Amino acid sequence: SYPLLITELYYDTHPNINAEYVRLMNPTNTSVDVSRWYLTDEPWNEPDDQPKILFPEHTVMPPYASWYITKNATAFLLETAVLPDFEYAVDSHPLVPQLPTIKTVYLSNTGGLVGLFSVSQTLIDAVIYGTTDQYVFCWEGQAINSSGQGVILKRNCINGTPVDTNTSSDWAHSR
């Protein structure tokens, strides 16, 4: 079991509201230094070829915390009524820190992968959804079924603890 998990994925947003996001959670009682960790939509590629959303130096995730990382904080706020913790593509809100990117991370509406990597380029967690030909070694079985527009993929929890078997059965959505 790794220290952080991807617990939500919103990849097929409502039309004209570009609020796609990834939610990360630290389910442990220990702070995790995520300096130079990154999210990518191409975890199968070599690290130098991956598009990245980077966490800057001195970024520490507190115990039991969760973070929303969105493409556009203003759109996210409009859709959820919550300010996200970080934004990465559009610098839309002065109160939300902008994460640096390398190339463009794109959450495909039809299917894809999202991976969280540590500073040492170790795959910490991954999600495979919809229709895709790409896979990573840690995932077992089929991708999560497509959720459809406006539906958030959420990791199942048992007594507040996220389920983590690296399969599509870890995830639920309302369709």
Side-chain angles (χ1 to χ4, degrees):
S1 175
Y2 291 106
L4 300 187
L5 294 172
I6 299 168
T7 57
E8 291 182 20
L9 181 64
Y10 188 36
Y11 64 89
D12 191 357
T13 62
H14 289 107
N16 305 317
I17 304 177
N18 201 357
E20 66 183 35
Y21 74 85
V22 175
R23 187 177 188 184
L24 296 181
M25 179 184 185
N26 177 359
T28 73
N29 63 0
T30 307
S31 293
V32 177
D33 185 346
V34 295
S35 300
R36 298 184 7 245
W37 286 33
Y38 63 93
L39 289 161
T40 182
D41 61 334
E42 296 183 10
W44 64 88
N45 264 339
E46 291 299 313
D48 287 346
D49 296 330
Q50 294 170 336
K52 297 179 176 86
I53 303 166
L54 295 157
F55 290 99
E57 289 290 337
H58 313 296
T59 305
V60 176
M61 191 170 204
Y64 306 112
S66 65
W67 286 343
Y68 290 103
I69 298 114
T70 185
K71 191 172 197 171
N72 181 320
T74 300
F76 182 90
L77 178 62
L78 179 70
E79 185 150 356
T80 66
V82 174
L83 261 184
D85 299 280
F86 299 97
E87 66 180 337
Y88 61 87
V90 181
D91 192 1
S92 70
H93 202 289
L95 298 179
V96 179
Q98 181 77 15
L99 293 178
T101 58
I102 297 173
K103 299 197 240 179
T104 301
V105 172
Y106 174 72
L107 303 182
S108 169
N109 289 351
T110 57
L113 287 73
V114 177
L116 173 67
F117 284 81
S118 70
V119 65
S120 63
Q121 301 171 341
T122 300
L123 182 61
I124 301 298
D125 197 25
V127 177
I128 303 177
Y129 65 94
T131 303
T132 179
D133 294 330
Q134 302 293 343
Y135 286 90
V136 287
F137 69 90
C138 71
W139 189 267
E140 303 208 10
Q142 298 293 321
I144 302 164
N145 289 335
S146 291
S147 63
Q149 191 173 61
V151 178
I152 299 164
L153 293 179
K154 295 188 179 194
R155 187 181 288 272
N156 295 316
C157 288
I158 297 174
N159 299 324
T161 301
V163 176
D164 186 22
T165 64
N166 294 317
T167 67
S168 61
S169 66
D170 295 350
W171 295 80
H173 57 73
S174 59
R175 294 196 185 179

PDB file of all heavy atoms in Angstrom, residues 26-60:
ATOM      1  N   ASN A  26      -4.426  11.498   1.308  1.00  0.00           N
ATOM      2  CA  ASN A  26      -3.438  10.865   2.167  1.00  0.00           C
ATOM      3  C   ASN A  26      -4.207  10.137   3.263  1.00  0.00           C
ATOM      4  O   ASN A  26      -4.648  10.770   4.221  1.00  0.00           O
ATOM      5  CB  ASN A  26      -2.500  11.917   2.773  1.00  0.00           C
ATOM      6  CG  ASN A  26      -1.510  11.309   3.739  1.00  0.00           C
ATOM      7  OD1 ASN A  26      -1.512  10.105   3.987  1.00  0.00           O
ATOM      8  ND2 ASN A  26      -0.665  12.148   4.318  1.00  0.00           N
ATOM      9  N   PRO A  27      -4.412   8.831   3.140  1.00  0.00           N
ATOM     10  CA  PRO A  27      -5.213   8.103   4.123  1.00  0.00           C
ATOM     11  C   PRO A  27      -4.438   7.703   5.377  1.00  0.00           C
ATOM     12  O   PRO A  27      -4.961   6.974   6.210  1.00  0.00           O
ATOM     13  CB  PRO A  27      -5.671   6.868   3.341  1.00  0.00           C
ATOM     14  CG  PRO A  27      -4.550   6.616   2.391  1.00  0.00           C
ATOM     15  CD  PRO A  27      -3.996   7.980   2.031  1.00  0.00           C
ATOM     16  N   THR A  28      -3.198   8.191   5.503  1.00  0.00           N
ATOM     17  CA  THR A  28      -2.358   7.786   6.631  1.00  0.00           C
ATOM     18  C   THR A  28      -2.302   8.876   7.705  1.00  0.00           C
ATOM     19  O   THR A  28      -2.717  10.011   7.488  1.00  0.00           O
ATOM     20  CB  THR A  28      -0.912   7.488   6.169  1.00  0.00           C
ATOM     21  OG1 THR A  28      -0.263   8.728   5.859  1.00  0.00           O
ATOM     22  CG2 THR A  28      -0.890   6.576   4.955  1.00  0.00           C
ATOM     23  N   ASN A  29      -1.732   8.525   8.848  1.00  0.00           N
ATOM     24  CA  ASN A  29      -1.581   9.477   9.952  1.00  0.00           C
ATOM     25  C   ASN A  29      -0.237  10.193   9.905  1.00  0.00           C
ATOM     26  O   ASN A  29       0.208  10.761  10.890  1.00  0.00           O
ATOM     27  CB  ASN A  29      -1.774   8.778  11.306  1.00  0.00           C
ATOM     28  CG  ASN A  29      -0.726   7.708  11.560  1.00  0.00           C
ATOM     29  OD1 ASN A  29       0.156   7.469  10.732  1.00  0.00           O
ATOM     30  ND2 ASN A  29      -0.817   7.058  12.711  1.00  0.00           N
ATOM     31  N   THR A  30       0.417  10.181   8.737  1.00  0.00           N
ATOM     32  CA  THR A  30       1.739  10.777   8.554  1.00  0.00           C
ATOM     33  C   THR A  30       1.706  11.767   7.393  1.00  0.00           C
ATOM     34  O   THR A  30       1.112  11.481   6.354  1.00  0.00           O
ATOM     35  CB  THR A  30       2.774   9.678   8.221  1.00  0.00           C
ATOM     36  OG1 THR A  30       2.689   8.661   9.217  1.00  0.00           O
ATOM     37  CG2 THR A  30       4.176  10.227   8.180  1.00  0.00           C
ATOM     38  N   SER A  31       2.356  12.899   7.558  1.00  0.00           N
ATOM     39  CA  SER A  31       2.499  13.838   6.445  1.00  0.00           C
ATOM     40  C   SER A  31       3.367  13.213   5.359  1.00  0.00           C
ATOM     41  O   SER A  31       4.284  12.442   5.656  1.00  0.00           O
ATOM     42  CB  SER A  31       3.159  15.138   6.918  1.00  0.00           C
ATOM     43  OG  SER A  31       2.306  15.825   7.794  1.00  0.00           O
ATOM     44  N   VAL A  32       3.067  13.547   4.094  1.00  0.00           N
ATOM     45  CA  VAL A  32       3.828  13.012   2.968  1.00  0.00           C
ATOM     46  C   VAL A  32       4.399  14.184   2.173  1.00  0.00           C
ATOM     47  O   VAL A  32       3.650  15.054   1.719  1.00  0.00           O
ATOM     48  CB  VAL A  32       2.952  12.127   2.059  1.00  0.00           C
ATOM     49  CG1 VAL A  32       3.751  11.643   0.853  1.00  0.00           C
ATOM     50  CG2 VAL A  32       2.389  10.950   2.834  1.00  0.00           C
ATOM     51  N   ASP A  33       5.719  14.201   2.032  1.00  0.00           N
ATOM     52  CA  ASP A  33       6.384  15.230   1.229  1.00  0.00           C
ATOM     53  C   ASP A  33       6.213  14.854  -0.242  1.00  0.00           C
ATOM     54  O   ASP A  33       6.735  13.845  -0.691  1.00  0.00           O
ATOM     55  CB  ASP A  33       7.866  15.302   1.598  1.00  0.00           C
ATOM     56  CG  ASP A  33       8.604  16.423   0.888  1.00  0.00           C
ATOM     57  OD1 ASP A  33       8.063  16.991  -0.083  1.00  0.00           O
ATOM     58  OD2 ASP A  33       9.734  16.724   1.302  1.00  0.00           O
ATOM     59  N   VAL A  34       5.457  15.677  -0.973  1.00  0.00           N
ATOM     60  CA  VAL A  34       5.200  15.398  -2.390  1.00  0.00           C
ATOM     61  C   VAL A  34       5.990  16.341  -3.302  1.00  0.00           C
ATOM     62  O   VAL A  34       5.667  16.492  -4.478  1.00  0.00           O
ATOM     63  CB  VAL A  34       3.689  15.444  -2.724  1.00  0.00           C
ATOM     64  CG1 VAL A  34       2.964  14.338  -1.984  1.00  0.00           C
ATOM     65  CG2 VAL A  34       3.091  16.797  -2.434  1.00  0.00           C
ATOM     66  N   SER A  35       7.042  16.931  -2.778  1.00  0.00           N
ATOM     67  CA  SER A  35       7.909  17.795  -3.585  1.00  0.00           C
ATOM     68  C   SER A  35       8.385  17.050  -4.825  1.00  0.00           C
ATOM     69  O   SER A  35       8.929  15.939  -4.711  1.00  0.00           O
ATOM     70  CB  SER A  35       9.139  18.230  -2.786  1.00  0.00           C
ATOM     71  OG  SER A  35       8.763  18.944  -1.637  1.00  0.00           O
ATOM     72  N   ARG A  36       8.120  17.655  -6.009  1.00  0.00           N
ATOM     73  CA  ARG A  36       8.542  17.109  -7.299  1.00  0.00           C
ATOM     74  C   ARG A  36       7.828  15.809  -7.670  1.00  0.00           C
ATOM     75  O   ARG A  36       8.231  15.131  -8.611  1.00  0.00           O
ATOM     76  CB  ARG A  36      10.054  17.009  -7.396  1.00  0.00           C
ATOM     77  CG  ARG A  36      10.678  18.379  -7.284  1.00  0.00           C
ATOM     78  CD  ARG A  36      12.188  18.515  -7.453  1.00  0.00           C
ATOM     79  NE  ARG A  36      12.958  17.401  -7.862  1.00  0.00           N
ATOM     80  CZ  ARG A  36      13.883  16.791  -7.116  1.00  0.00           C
ATOM     81  NH1 ARG A  36      14.147  17.232  -5.900  1.00  0.00           N
ATOM     82  NH2 ARG A  36      14.584  15.780  -7.594  1.00  0.00           N
ATOM     83  N   TRP A  37       6.762  15.433  -6.952  1.00  0.00           N
ATOM     84  CA  TRP A  37       5.888  14.364  -7.417  1.00  0.00           C
ATOM     85  C   TRP A  37       5.084  14.938  -8.574  1.00  0.00           C
ATOM     86  O   TRP A  37       5.017  16.151  -8.760  1.00  0.00           O
ATOM     87  CB  TRP A  37       4.944  13.919  -6.311  1.00  0.00           C
ATOM     88  CG  TRP A  37       5.575  13.105  -5.213  1.00  0.00           C
ATOM     89  CD1 TRP A  37       6.840  13.207  -4.722  1.00  0.00           C
ATOM     90  CD2 TRP A  37       4.938  12.090  -4.448  1.00  0.00           C
ATOM     91  NE1 TRP A  37       7.031  12.310  -3.705  1.00  0.00           N
ATOM     92  CE2 TRP A  37       5.859  11.610  -3.511  1.00  0.00           C
ATOM     93  CE3 TRP A  37       3.664  11.542  -4.456  1.00  0.00           C
ATOM     94  CZ2 TRP A  37       5.562  10.604  -2.603  1.00  0.00           C
ATOM     95  CZ3 TRP A  37       3.349  10.539  -3.548  1.00  0.00           C
ATOM     96  CH2 TRP A  37       4.297  10.064  -2.642  1.00  0.00           C
ATOM     97  N   TYR A  38       4.429  14.066  -9.343  1.00  0.00           N
ATOM     98  CA  TYR A  38       3.643  14.581 -10.456  1.00  0.00           C
ATOM     99  C   TYR A  38       2.508  13.640 -10.845  1.00  0.00           C
ATOM    100  O   TYR A  38       2.533  12.446 -10.566  1.00  0.00           O
ATOM    101  CB  TYR A  38       4.535  14.864 -11.668  1.00  0.00           C
ATOM    102  CG  TYR A  38       5.229  13.660 -12.273  1.00  0.00           C
ATOM    103  CD1 TYR A  38       4.656  12.949 -13.326  1.00  0.00           C
ATOM    104  CD2 TYR A  38       6.475  13.246 -11.807  1.00  0.00           C
ATOM    105  CE1 TYR A  38       5.293  11.861 -13.890  1.00  0.00           C
ATOM    106  CE2 TYR A  38       7.123  12.161 -12.379  1.00  0.00           C
ATOM    107  CZ  TYR A  38       6.528  11.469 -13.409  1.00  0.00           C
ATOM    108  OH  TYR A  38       7.156  10.393 -13.965  1.00  0.00           O
ATOM    109  N   LEU A  39       1.503  14.240 -11.478  1.00  0.00           N
ATOM    110  CA  LEU A  39       0.409  13.521 -12.115  1.00  0.00           C
ATOM    111  C   LEU A  39       0.660  13.524 -13.616  1.00  0.00           C
ATOM    112  O   LEU A  39       1.164  14.514 -14.159  1.00  0.00           O
ATOM    113  CB  LEU A  39      -0.926  14.209 -11.831  1.00  0.00           C
ATOM    114  CG  LEU A  39      -1.445  14.102 -10.398  1.00  0.00           C
ATOM    115  CD1 LEU A  39      -2.483  15.178 -10.135  1.00  0.00           C
ATOM    116  CD2 LEU A  39      -2.031  12.709 -10.159  1.00  0.00           C
ATOM    117  N   THR A  40       0.294  12.443 -14.288  1.00  0.00           N
ATOM    118  CA  THR A  40       0.430  12.376 -15.741  1.00  0.00           C
ATOM    119  C   THR A  40      -0.737  11.598 -16.334  1.00  0.00           C
ATOM    120  O   THR A  40      -1.323  10.739 -15.664  1.00  0.00           O
ATOM    121  CB  THR A  40       1.766  11.724 -16.165  1.00  0.00           C
ATOM    122  OG1 THR A  40       1.849  11.735 -17.599  1.00  0.00           O
ATOM    123  CG2 THR A  40       1.890  10.295 -15.662  1.00  0.00           C
ATOM    124  N   ASP A  41      -1.052  11.902 -17.585  1.00  0.00           N
ATOM    125  CA  ASP A  41      -2.052  11.134 -18.318  1.00  0.00           C
ATOM    126  C   ASP A  41      -1.391  10.100 -19.230  1.00  0.00           C
ATOM    127  O   ASP A  41      -2.070   9.428 -19.999  1.00  0.00           O
ATOM    128  CB  ASP A  41      -2.966  12.061 -19.124  1.00  0.00           C
ATOM    129  CG  ASP A  41      -2.207  12.882 -20.158  1.00  0.00           C
ATOM    130  OD1 ASP A  41      -0.998  13.129 -19.959  1.00  0.00           O
ATOM    131  OD2 ASP A  41      -2.828  13.291 -21.149  1.00  0.00           O
ATOM    132  N   GLU A  42      -0.075   9.966 -19.143  1.00  0.00           N
ATOM    133  CA  GLU A  42       0.656   8.973 -19.935  1.00  0.00           C
ATOM    134  C   GLU A  42       1.634   8.178 -19.062  1.00  0.00           C
ATOM    135  O   GLU A  42       2.848   8.171 -19.294  1.00  0.00           O
ATOM    136  CB  GLU A  42       1.408   9.653 -21.088  1.00  0.00           C
ATOM    137  CG  GLU A  42       0.490  10.330 -22.096  1.00  0.00           C
ATOM    138  CD  GLU A  42       1.237  10.941 -23.271  1.00  0.00           C
ATOM    139  OE1 GLU A  42       2.452  10.707 -23.435  1.00  0.00           O
ATOM    140  OE2 GLU A  42       0.581  11.671 -24.030  1.00  0.00           O
ATOM    141  N   PRO A  43       1.115   7.462 -18.044  1.00  0.00           N
ATOM    142  CA  PRO A  43       2.034   6.759 -17.129  1.00  0.00           C
ATOM    143  C   PRO A  43       2.793   5.614 -17.770  1.00  0.00           C
ATOM    144  O   PRO A  43       3.766   5.136 -17.194  1.00  0.00           O
ATOM    145  CB  PRO A  43       1.097   6.252 -16.019  1.00  0.00           C
ATOM    146  CG  PRO A  43      -0.251   6.203 -16.634  1.00  0.00           C
ATOM    147  CD  PRO A  43      -0.289   7.293 -17.665  1.00  0.00           C
ATOM    148  N   TRP A  44       2.376   5.171 -18.952  1.00  0.00           N
ATOM    149  CA  TRP A  44       3.087   4.092 -19.640  1.00  0.00           C
ATOM    150  C   TRP A  44       4.352   4.584 -20.325  1.00  0.00           C
ATOM    151  O   TRP A  44       5.220   3.793 -20.654  1.00  0.00           O
ATOM    152  CB  TRP A  44       2.170   3.412 -20.669  1.00  0.00           C
ATOM    153  CG  TRP A  44       1.759   4.341 -21.778  1.00  0.00           C
ATOM    154  CD1 TRP A  44       2.443   4.559 -22.948  1.00  0.00           C
ATOM    155  CD2 TRP A  44       0.628   5.205 -21.812  1.00  0.00           C
ATOM    156  NE1 TRP A  44       1.783   5.498 -23.712  1.00  0.00           N
ATOM    157  CE2 TRP A  44       0.657   5.916 -23.031  1.00  0.00           C
ATOM    158  CE3 TRP A  44      -0.423   5.454 -20.929  1.00  0.00           C
ATOM    159  CZ2 TRP A  44      -0.309   6.845 -23.398  1.00  0.00           C
ATOM    160  CZ3 TRP A  44      -1.390   6.375 -21.293  1.00  0.00           C
ATOM    161  CH2 TRP A  44      -1.322   7.059 -22.509  1.00  0.00           C
ATOM    162  N   ASN A  45       4.451   5.887 -20.564  1.00  0.00           N
ATOM    163  CA  ASN A  45       5.618   6.437 -21.257  1.00  0.00           C
ATOM    164  C   ASN A  45       6.824   6.546 -20.341  1.00  0.00           C
ATOM    165  O   ASN A  45       6.699   6.540 -19.110  1.00  0.00           O
ATOM    166  CB  ASN A  45       5.300   7.834 -21.798  1.00  0.00           C
ATOM    167  CG  ASN A  45       4.869   7.795 -23.244  1.00  0.00           C
ATOM    168  OD1 ASN A  45       5.158   6.853 -23.967  1.00  0.00           O
ATOM    169  ND2 ASN A  45       4.168   8.832 -23.658  1.00  0.00           N
ATOM    170  N   GLU A  46       7.997   6.671 -20.938  1.00  0.00           N
ATOM    171  CA  GLU A  46       9.206   6.959 -20.173  1.00  0.00           C
ATOM    172  C   GLU A  46       9.027   8.298 -19.465  1.00  0.00           C
ATOM    173  O   GLU A  46       8.408   9.213 -20.024  1.00  0.00           O
ATOM    174  CB  GLU A  46      10.421   7.012 -21.098  1.00  0.00           C
ATOM    175  CG  GLU A  46      10.807   5.668 -21.674  1.00  0.00           C
ATOM    176  CD  GLU A  46      11.182   4.674 -20.591  1.00  0.00           C
ATOM    177  OE1 GLU A  46      11.954   5.036 -19.686  1.00  0.00           O
ATOM    178  OE2 GLU A  46      10.688   3.538 -20.646  1.00  0.00           O
ATOM    179  N   PRO A  47       9.548   8.451 -18.247  1.00  0.00           N
ATOM    180  CA  PRO A  47       9.346   9.696 -17.490  1.00  0.00           C
ATOM    181  C   PRO A  47       9.675  10.975 -18.263  1.00  0.00           C
ATOM    182  O   PRO A  47       8.944  11.959 -18.149  1.00  0.00           O
ATOM    183  CB  PRO A  47      10.248   9.511 -16.270  1.00  0.00           C
ATOM    184  CG  PRO A  47      10.276   8.028 -16.063  1.00  0.00           C
ATOM    185  CD  PRO A  47      10.253   7.443 -17.460  1.00  0.00           C
ATOM    186  N   ASP A  48      10.744  10.968 -19.067  1.00  0.00           N
ATOM    187  CA  ASP A  48      11.101  12.188 -19.805  1.00  0.00           C
ATOM    188  C   ASP A  48      10.090  12.536 -20.891  1.00  0.00           C
ATOM    189  O   ASP A  48      10.057  13.669 -21.367  1.00  0.00           O
ATOM    190  CB  ASP A  48      12.492  12.045 -20.441  1.00  0.00           C
ATOM    191  CG  ASP A  48      13.596  12.110 -19.408  1.00  0.00           C
ATOM    192  OD1 ASP A  48      13.325  12.522 -18.255  1.00  0.00           O
ATOM    193  OD2 ASP A  48      14.740  11.743 -19.740  1.00  0.00           O
ATOM    194  N   ASP A  49       9.266  11.563 -21.289  1.00  0.00           N
ATOM    195  CA  ASP A  49       8.279  11.785 -22.349  1.00  0.00           C
ATOM    196  C   ASP A  49       6.877  12.060 -21.810  1.00  0.00           C
ATOM    197  O   ASP A  49       5.956  12.308 -22.583  1.00  0.00           O
ATOM    198  CB  ASP A  49       8.216  10.566 -23.275  1.00  0.00           C
ATOM    199  CG  ASP A  49       9.528  10.349 -24.016  1.00  0.00           C
ATOM    200  OD1 ASP A  49      10.233  11.344 -24.280  1.00  0.00           O
ATOM    201  OD2 ASP A  49       9.848   9.184 -24.311  1.00  0.00           O
ATOM    202  N   GLN A  50       6.684  11.972 -20.497  1.00  0.00           N
ATOM    203  CA  GLN A  50       5.358  12.124 -19.917  1.00  0.00           C
ATOM    204  C   GLN A  50       4.966  13.593 -19.761  1.00  0.00           C
ATOM    205  O   GLN A  50       5.754  14.382 -19.251  1.00  0.00           O
ATOM    206  CB  GLN A  50       5.309  11.472 -18.525  1.00  0.00           C
ATOM    207  CG  GLN A  50       5.484   9.976 -18.536  1.00  0.00           C
ATOM    208  CD  GLN A  50       5.682   9.408 -17.146  1.00  0.00           C
ATOM    209  OE1 GLN A  50       6.110  10.099 -16.232  1.00  0.00           O
ATOM    210  NE2 GLN A  50       5.385   8.135 -16.993  1.00  0.00           N
ATOM    211  N   PRO A  51       3.730  13.956 -20.153  1.00  0.00           N
ATOM    212  CA  PRO A  51       3.210  15.255 -19.722  1.00  0.00           C
ATOM    213  C   PRO A  51       3.044  15.213 -18.199  1.00  0.00           C
ATOM    214  O   PRO A  51       2.715  14.151 -17.653  1.00  0.00           O
ATOM    215  CB  PRO A  51       1.840  15.343 -20.405  1.00  0.00           C
ATOM    216  CG  PRO A  51       1.827  14.264 -21.427  1.00  0.00           C
ATOM    217  CD  PRO A  51       2.789  13.214 -20.964  1.00  0.00           C
ATOM    218  N   LYS A  52       3.267  16.325 -17.538  1.00  0.00           N
ATOM    219  CA  LYS A  52       3.264  16.300 -16.068  1.00  0.00           C
ATOM    220  C   LYS A  52       2.573  17.530 -15.475  1.00  0.00           C
ATOM    221  O   LYS A  52       2.697  18.626 -15.992  1.00  0.00           O
ATOM    222  CB  LYS A  52       4.692  16.278 -15.523  1.00  0.00           C
ATOM    223  CG  LYS A  52       5.500  15.070 -15.882  1.00  0.00           C
ATOM    224  CD  LYS A  52       6.916  15.162 -15.310  1.00  0.00           C
ATOM    225  CE  LYS A  52       7.718  13.926 -15.573  1.00  0.00           C
ATOM    226  NZ  LYS A  52       8.380  13.909 -16.845  1.00  0.00           N
ATOM    227  N   ILE A  53       1.875  17.296 -14.355  1.00  0.00           N
ATOM    228  CA  ILE A  53       1.441  18.350 -13.438  1.00  0.00           C
ATOM    229  C   ILE A  53       2.324  18.165 -12.212  1.00  0.00           C
ATOM    230  O   ILE A  53       2.251  17.131 -11.543  1.00  0.00           O
ATOM    231  CB  ILE A  53      -0.036  18.197 -13.048  1.00  0.00           C
ATOM    232  CG1 ILE A  53      -0.939  18.198 -14.280  1.00  0.00           C
ATOM    233  CG2 ILE A  53      -0.439  19.295 -12.063  1.00  0.00           C
ATOM    234  CD1 ILE A  53      -2.358  17.714 -14.000  1.00  0.00           C
ATOM    235  N   LEU A  54       3.171  19.139 -11.933  1.00  0.00           N
ATOM    236  CA  LEU A  54       4.221  18.987 -10.919  1.00  0.00           C
ATOM    237  C   LEU A  54       3.858  19.657  -9.599  1.00  0.00           C
ATOM    238  O   LEU A  54       3.345  20.785  -9.588  1.00  0.00           O
ATOM    239  CB  LEU A  54       5.514  19.620 -11.422  1.00  0.00           C
ATOM    240  CG  LEU A  54       6.153  18.962 -12.633  1.00  0.00           C
ATOM    241  CD1 LEU A  54       7.047  19.948 -13.353  1.00  0.00           C
ATOM    242  CD2 LEU A  54       6.925  17.746 -12.200  1.00  0.00           C
ATOM    243  N   PHE A  55       4.183  18.980  -8.498  1.00  0.00           N
ATOM    244  CA  PHE A  55       4.094  19.613  -7.179  1.00  0.00           C
ATOM    245  C   PHE A  55       5.439  20.257  -6.885  1.00  0.00           C
ATOM    246  O   PHE A  55       6.479  19.606  -6.998  1.00  0.00           O
ATOM    247  CB  PHE A  55       3.748  18.588  -6.101  1.00  0.00           C
ATOM    248  CG  PHE A  55       2.347  18.086  -6.217  1.00  0.00           C
ATOM    249  CD1 PHE A  55       2.085  16.870  -6.826  1.00  0.00           C
ATOM    250  CD2 PHE A  55       1.290  18.835  -5.749  1.00  0.00           C
ATOM    251  CE1 PHE A  55       0.793  16.412  -6.964  1.00  0.00           C
ATOM    252  CE2 PHE A  55      -0.021  18.379  -5.876  1.00  0.00           C
ATOM    253  CZ  PHE A  55      -0.265  17.165  -6.479  1.00  0.00           C
ATOM    254  N   PRO A  56       5.440  21.557  -6.535  1.00  0.00           N
ATOM    255  CA  PRO A  56       6.711  22.251  -6.313  1.00  0.00           C
ATOM    256  C   PRO A  56       7.429  21.782  -5.045  1.00  0.00           C
ATOM    257  O   PRO A  56       6.867  21.047  -4.224  1.00  0.00           O
ATOM    258  CB  PRO A  56       6.309  23.719  -6.184  1.00  0.00           C
ATOM    259  CG  PRO A  56       4.841  23.782  -6.210  1.00  0.00           C
ATOM    260  CD  PRO A  56       4.287  22.408  -6.422  1.00  0.00           C
ATOM    261  N   GLU A  57       8.672  22.219  -4.922  1.00  0.00           N
ATOM    262  CA  GLU A  57       9.455  21.949  -3.706  1.00  0.00           C
ATOM    263  C   GLU A  57       8.673  22.400  -2.473  1.00  0.00           C
ATOM    264  O   GLU A  57       7.906  23.357  -2.526  1.00  0.00           O
ATOM    265  CB  GLU A  57      10.788  22.712  -3.750  1.00  0.00           C
ATOM    266  CG  GLU A  57      11.780  22.179  -4.760  1.00  0.00           C
ATOM    267  CD  GLU A  57      12.342  20.818  -4.380  1.00  0.00           C
ATOM    268  OE1 GLU A  57      12.350  20.440  -3.202  1.00  0.00           O
ATOM    269  OE2 GLU A  57      12.772  20.107  -5.311  1.00  0.00           O
ATOM    270  N   HIS A  58       8.881  21.716  -1.366  1.00  0.00           N
ATOM    271  CA  HIS A  58       8.291  22.064  -0.064  1.00  0.00           C
ATOM    272  C   HIS A  58       6.771  21.912  -0.049  1.00  0.00           C
ATOM    273  O   HIS A  58       6.088  22.606   0.693  1.00  0.00           O
ATOM    274  CB  HIS A  58       8.682  23.481   0.374  1.00  0.00           C
ATOM    275  CG  HIS A  58      10.146  23.763   0.209  1.00  0.00           C
ATOM    276  ND1 HIS A  58      11.112  23.088   0.925  1.00  0.00           N
ATOM    277  CD2 HIS A  58      10.794  24.618  -0.611  1.00  0.00           C
ATOM    278  CE1 HIS A  58      12.298  23.523   0.553  1.00  0.00           C
ATOM    279  NE2 HIS A  58      12.139  24.450  -0.381  1.00  0.00           N
ATOM    280  N   THR A  59       6.247  21.004  -0.873  1.00  0.00           N
ATOM    281  CA  THR A  59       4.809  20.714  -0.845  1.00  0.00           C
ATOM    282  C   THR A  59       4.615  19.457  -0.009  1.00  0.00           C
ATOM    283  O   THR A  59       5.137  18.395  -0.349  1.00  0.00           O
ATOM    284  CB  THR A  59       4.255  20.510  -2.266  1.00  0.00           C
ATOM    285  OG1 THR A  59       4.571  21.647  -3.069  1.00  0.00           O
ATOM    286  CG2 THR A  59       2.746  20.322  -2.233  1.00  0.00           C
ATOM    287  N   VAL A  60       3.874  19.605   1.089  1.00  0.00           N
ATOM    288  CA  VAL A  60       3.666  18.501   2.020  1.00  0.00           C
ATOM    289  C   VAL A  60       2.165  18.296   2.211  1.00  0.00           C
ATOM    290  O   VAL A  60       1.432  19.250   2.487  1.00  0.00           O
ATOM    291  CB  VAL A  60       4.343  18.786   3.378  1.00  0.00           C
ATOM    292  CG1 VAL A  60       4.040  17.677   4.378  1.00  0.00           C
ATOM    293  CG2 VAL A  60       5.848  18.951   3.193  1.00  0.00           C
TER     294      VAL A  60
END
